[in-house]
Amino acid sequence: GESVGLHLPTLSVQEGDNSIINCAYSNSASDYFIWYKQESGKGPQFIIDIRSNMDKRQGQRVTVLLNKTVKHLSLQIAATQPGDSAVYFCAESYFGNEKLTFGTGTRLTIIP
Amino acid sequence: DGGITQSPKYLFRKEGQNVTLSCEQNLNHDAMYWYRQDPGQGLRLIYYSQIVNDFQKGDIAEGYSVSREKKESFPLTVTSAQKNPTAFYLCASTLDGMNTEAFFGQGTRLTVV
């Protein structure tokens, strides 16, 4: 069935270090992927997205990598800051399917 | 400022009562969505609407109802038939479907007492 899963439920990173959050998906038809950040008690905020015709996309301090061969997605956050502490979700959809499927989420904690 | 507004932020309901959660957007987006989030879990889709006066069931629609009479508004009613309604409810909108960035509201936390 269709599912999006995360390898690690929690991740602790020293402030200033880089962090990598991983996500696996099972639907080979998925062609659009998004990373969201959710702070406690708030709605998810868009971080970055990538379409299946790309392998890598960069934003401000963030990079998303897509490996379609193994159906794997990762979010890299460079030089982490205390404000990066949050739960990060990956989500996927495909053309013609008007639904985003979300993973469980990874809680990222930045250690001062 | 453009965005999505959910109200109220916190809602308490007695068992057996229906309750309606509000979601309004001024982004001129065609599509709107309702998700439910339980602690430590991802978001699950309840209902979605791609155009006015039309909506579809998501993965967990039982015990919920929606309406889309105006483009800007997509209220969600949690009925007494929903067996476990205590959760965090999130409304989202996209310009024209889910293959683009979804904007989320700040959520409504519903507690059944």
Side-chain angles (χ1 to χ4, degrees):
Chain A
E2 195 176 282
S3 68
V4 178
L6 295 175
H7 294 306
L8 295 173
T10 61
L11 178 65
S12 295
V13 174
Q14 203 76 33
E15 182 178 352
D17 287 351
N18 299 336
S19 67
I20 299 176
I21 302 171
N22 296 303
C23 179
Y25 63 96
S26 59
N27 187 355
S28 57
S30 295
D31 59 8
Y32 181 62
F33 304 88
I34 306 181
W35 282 100
Y36 283 95
K37 172 186 179 183
Q38 187 178 26
E39 296 174 340
S40 181
K42 296 184 178 180
Q45 295 174 277
F46 172 87
I47 301 173
I48 192 167
D49 60 1
I50 188 167
R51 298 194 183 274
S52 59
N53 60 350
M54 302 174 70
D55 297 323
K56 178 180 179 178
R57 191 162 187 226
Q58 290 183 290
Q60 188 177 12
R61 285 200 305 119
V62 295
T63 301
V64 56
L65 299 177
L66 176 62
N67 186 330
K68 295 180 287 292
T69 302
V70 296
K71 297 201 278 290
H72 183 267
L73 192 68
S74 69
L75 176 70
Q76 301 177 2
I77 305 175
T80 53
Q81 304 167 358
D84 294 329
S85 292
V87 176
Y88 290 81
F89 292 97
C90 66
E92 55 89 21
S93 71
Y94 56 90
F95 183 77
N97 176 33
E98 300 307 324
K99 300 186 290 184
L100 268 179
T101 300
F102 282 82
T104 306
T106 292
R107 181 174 297 281
L108 176 65
T109 301
I110 307 303
I111 305 167
Chain B
D1 283 338
I4 299 182
T5 301
Q6 289 186 244
S7 62
K9 188 170 175 62
Y10 299 97
L11 190 56
F12 295 88
R13 188 195 91 175
K14 292 183 180 179
E15 280 193 32
Q17 288 182 336
N18 293 354
V19 64
T20 298
L21 282 59
S22 170
C23 178
E24 304 277 331
Q25 54 99 358
N26 60 4
L27 299 166
N28 200 32
H29 283 176
D30 286 328
M32 297 185 73
Y33 307 79
W34 275 104
Y35 288 89
R36 170 183 171 135
Q37 187 176 30
D38 292 288
Q41 297 193 26
L43 281 65
R44 293 184 290 167
L45 183 64
I46 305 172
Y47 266 99
Y48 63 104
S49 167
Q50 294 179 270
I51 56 173
V52 174
N53 292 323
D54 189 39
F55 48 83
Q56 288 78 39
K57 293 182 179 180
D59 300 317
I60 56 166
E62 186 176 349
Y64 300 97
S65 66
V66 293
S67 63
R68 188 86 187 277
E69 296 177 3
K70 298 186 299 182
K71 187 175 184 177
E72 308 79 36
S73 178
F74 191 41
L76 172 75
T77 297
V78 184
T79 75
S80 56
Q82 169 49 236
K83 303 214 182 315
N84 185 20
T86 295
F88 190 48
Y89 291 87
L90 287 158
C91 180
S93 71
T94 62
L95 185 61
D96 59 1
M98 263 303 179
N99 264 23
T100 58
E101 177 187 350
F103 292 80
F104 282 85
Q106 291 303 294
T108 292
R109 187 167 299 281
L110 173 64
T111 304
V112 174
V113 297

